[in-house]
Amino acid sequence: MKGTIGNMMQQVQKMQEEMQKAQKELADKEVVGSAGGDIVKVVMSGQQQIKNIVIDHEMIDGDHEMLEDLLVAAFNDAMNKISELQKMDLGGLTEGMNLPPGFKMPF
């Protein structure tokens, strides 16, 4: 039993190190959310920080309400892409650990 707990703790420590590495890599990535056929683009870091907003002003033509709607849609698109990146980059770290159902990571 003592060896089993020791092995489990080593696995947990290794997983924590891998998770920290994956989180840093994720923070360095960028996604582009877009709306309205690329009329509005939002560039966001993996840490959900806005890096840039690009608006094709020729296509807006003074319609501020449409611009607001497109900005919301572009932000949501970027956030959804970050969520997908997180699932891909961090989701595989707990595979093979036989954790109980509902066990939440990180600790």
Side-chain angles (χ1 to χ4, degrees):
M1 173 105 177
K2 191 174 188 178
T4 303
I5 292 174
N7 288 340
M8 184 182 215
M9 292 304 293
Q10 286 177 341
Q11 284 181 320
V12 168
Q13 184 176 15
K14 182 180 177 188
M15 186 180 60
Q16 285 177 323
E17 291 169 2
E18 289 175 0
M19 188 170 290
Q20 287 173 344
K21 180 182 173 189
Q23 286 173 334
K24 183 180 180 335
E25 290 173 359
L26 180 64
D28 293 337
K29 293 181 180 180
E30 289 185 349
V31 299
V32 179
S34 63
D38 291 340
I39 293 173
V40 174
K41 296 179 189 175
V42 174
V43 180
M44 189 177 283
S45 75
Q47 290 182 315
Q48 301 176 354
Q49 300 294 313
I50 303 299
K51 296 291 195 172
N52 193 18
I53 298 173
V54 179
I55 301 169
D56 184 349
H57 292 284
E58 291 179 19
M59 299 298 292
I60 299 299
D61 196 32
D63 188 347
H64 298 286
E65 191 172 310
M66 181 178 77
L67 176 59
E68 292 167 354
D69 291 342
L70 290 173
L71 282 167
V72 168
F75 281 113
N76 288 335
D77 186 41
M79 292 295 290
N80 289 334
K81 288 178 180 178
I82 289 172
S83 292
E84 288 301 314
L85 277 178
Q86 289 172 336
K87 287 178 190 173
M88 290 186 326
D89 290 355
L90 303 176
L93 293 177
T94 58
E95 287 180 19
M97 288 202 60
N98 297 323
L99 296 173
F103 194 78
K104 301 286 184 204
M105 296 298 288
F107 303 104

